[in-house]
Amino acid sequence: ETGVTQTPRHLVMGMTNKKSLKCEQHLGHNAMYWYKQSAKKPLELMFVYNFKEQTENNSVPSRFSPECPNSSHLFLHLHTLQPEDSALYLCASSQVPSPNPYEQYFGPGTRLTVT
Amino acid sequence: AQKVTQAQTEISVVEKEDVTLDCVYETRDTTYYLFWYKQPPSGELVFLIRRNSFDEQNEISGRYSWNFQKSTSSFNFTITASQVVDSAVYFCALSEANWNSGGSNYKLTFGKGTLLTVNP
C-alpha cells in the first residue's frame, strides 16, 4: 500500500449506531488530519494530530471522537450521529516541519450516510 | 480570518478549449501559501501546486499554468487545451501557520471548489 488509505470507502449507519473510520498513511509523515466535505460547502478541518498529540479540534461535536494511536494511524469514532453528518470524510497527512510546508496528502475518503 | 473564494461553481467546456479557474483569497498574514488541489470522481484530493507569498512568478507545468497576483489577491489556474480527463472538482486553498507547544501544524482553508466538466 502506498500513500494514504481509508476504510471503509462507503458506510451507511443509523443514528443509534457506533462505527469507526480508519485512516493509514504509508508516507512516514508525523501529522494527520480529518476533514469533512459536505455538499456545496468548503472542506472543513475537524482535527489535527502532530506526533500523535491532538493540536486542533475545530469545534467538532462530541459525537465525533478521534484517536491517533501512532503517527501512521488515525481513527474517527462515530456515535449517535445526525443525518446532517452525512458527508465525505477525508483523511490527510503531512510532514511537519518540512522543506515543503503545508503540503498535505489526502486519502480517497469515506462516504458516510446517516439514516 | 482567512477566506478563499472560488466564484465559479461549475464550468463546462469542450475538449481542447482553454479554461481559467478563478481564486481570490483574504488573509492578514504576510507569509502564507496558496494551493490548488484536484478532486476527481474517485474522491481523493490530488495536490497540484503550492506557491508562497513571496514568489509571484507565474508557473507553467505542461498544460497547467498559474497566475499569482498579490495586488488583487488572486491565484488563478489555467488549463490549456483541456482534455476529458481534466474533468474534476478543483479546490484553491490558503495556509496559515499555527505554532503550538507540541510543534507546528499547518491549517488549510479551502474554497468551495469549481466543478469542471470537459466534454468530448
Side-chain angles (χ1 to χ4, degrees):
Chain A
E1 291 277 14
T2 58
V4 181
T5 58
Q6 290 186 244
T7 55
R9 294 295 309 275
H10 300 272
L11 177 63
V12 179
M13 60 186 288
M15 292 167 61
T16 58
N17 291 158
K18 288 185 181 181
K19 297 286 184 183
S20 295
L21 309 185
K22 178 183 175 183
C23 175
E24 184 173 359
Q25 59 95 1
H26 310 268
L27 301 168
H29 291 162
N30 55 13
M32 297 187 77
Y33 311 77
W34 277 118
Y35 287 86
K36 176 183 179 183
Q37 185 178 21
S38 305
K40 299 183 180 180
K41 292 177 71 174
L43 271 78
E44 301 170 74
L45 179 65
M46 300 174 72
F47 301 103
V48 180
Y49 277 82
N50 277 336
F51 302 98
K52 304 185 297 180
E53 298 296 322
Q54 187 180 131
T55 56
E56 186 84 21
N57 177 337
N58 209 19
S59 303
V60 180
S62 60
R63 57 186 184 270
F64 294 91
S65 174
E67 179 190 359
C68 189
N70 54 62
S71 57
S72 298
H73 294 86
L74 185 65
F75 295 90
L76 188 62
H77 303 300
L78 316 170
H79 64 97
T80 59
L81 294 190
Q82 305 297 313
E84 60 265 28
D85 296 323
S86 298
L88 180 68
Y89 288 85
L90 290 160
C91 174
S93 70
S94 69
Q95 183 66 27
V96 291
S98 166
N100 296 311
Y102 315 105
E103 189 170 317
Q104 296 180 14
Y105 293 81
F106 285 80
T110 294
R111 174 70 63 187
L112 173 67
T113 303
V114 181
T115 60
Chain B
Q2 307 212 337
K3 185 179 177 182
V4 176
T5 302
Q6 294 180 254
Q8 304 149 309
T9 306
E10 296 185 35
I11 300 176
S12 183
V13 299
V14 177
E15 209 169 16
K16 298 185 182 178
E17 283 185 20
D18 298 347
V19 58
T20 295
L21 310 181
D22 297 333
C23 173
V24 175
Y25 63 92
E26 296 176 28
T27 179
R28 293 181 182 176
D29 291 351
T30 54
T31 302
Y32 53 89
Y33 284 75
L34 294 160
F35 298 78
W36 276 94
Y37 282 86
K38 174 182 179 180
Q39 187 178 37
S42 59
E44 181 174 340
L45 269 78
V46 178
F47 167 80
L48 296 178
I49 189 171
R50 176 192 68 254
R51 303 295 287 176
N52 73 54
S53 52
F54 299 108
D55 182 1
E56 286 194 69
Q57 274 194 334
N58 292 331
E59 182 155 340
I60 298 175
S61 176
R63 295 183 297 107
Y64 295 169
S65 62
W66 291 269
N67 184 356
F68 178 26
Q69 300 267 350
K70 276 182 88 169
S71 60
T72 56
S73 297
S74 65
F75 185 45
N76 296 336
F77 173 31
T78 298
I79 302 175
T80 303
S82 59
Q83 300 176 3
V84 173
V85 293
D86 296 326
S87 297
V89 181
Y90 290 86
F91 291 93
C92 181
L94 171 69
S95 73
E96 89 181 11
N98 188 359
W99 293 87
N100 297 315
S101 57
S104 62
N105 68 59
Y106 303 97
K107 295 175 65 174
L108 285 174
T109 300
F110 284 86
K112 291 187 178 181
T114 298
L115 172 61
L116 174 65
T117 302
V118 181
N119 298 299

